Amino acid sequence: MNRLVIDQGRLRAALAAQLGPVSEAMGETVAGFLREKLDRPGSGTHHPGLPNPSSAPGEYPAEQSGDLVRAIGHEAVDAFHQRAGALNSVAPVPVEAFALEFPSPPSSPVKRSTQHGARPWASKALLDSELRQWLREAVSKRGARLR
């Protein structure tokens, strides 16, 4: 009787060697996309005391201090998974990262209870068709090297 024995450790290592670079490319792509979208002035009102015009409703948040952009990066969780976004391992994540994404709770030190509300950036990116296109291209480029 013939038996197929699969060494799961070797199989996982072989898959990681092939798919790890694709996962890394996806993390790099998400971080690059977020940096590009968050590192620009908005097209909304230019409030006194701010270096750039604010974002208009529906736009990614406008860059003001640069703190959020400096915290954008990616890191490997394991050979198959990447974490991308505002990461304390890259730079201290400013409170604005959360305040922009979510309306402020009553105890928040940052108030976002304006008529325009929050300026989601992370959840907006999850649904962004442009990011999906960037990811398809990154996977296509990195995946082509697997053959």
Side-chain angles (χ1 to χ4, degrees), residues 76-147:
V77 174
D78 60 32
F80 303 102
H81 301 91
Q82 292 278 318
R83 180 178 295 124
L87 305 174
N88 280 315
S89 60
V90 175
V93 176
V95 68
E96 291 81 13
F98 305 100
L100 288 166
E101 186 68 28
F102 305 105
S104 61
S107 62
S108 174
V110 176
K111 298 299 176 200
R112 293 292 304 157
S113 55
T114 67
Q115 63 183 12
H116 302 297
R119 285 289 186 269
W121 57 277
S123 58
K124 181 176 177 60
L126 287 173
L127 303 173
D128 197 312
S129 61
E130 185 181 356
L131 175 57
R132 287 191 183 131
Q133 183 59 39
W134 283 37
L135 288 168
R136 277 192 290 277
E137 291 170 9
V139 169
S140 177
K141 286 178 191 172
R142 199 62 66 102
R145 297 181 198 161
L146 298 178
R147 295 185 177 101

Side-chain angles (χ1 to χ4, degrees), residues 42-63:
S43 64
T45 304
H46 196 166
H47 298 285
L50 292 179
N52 291 313
S54 295
S55 56
E59 292 180 339
Y60 281 91
E63 189 274 327

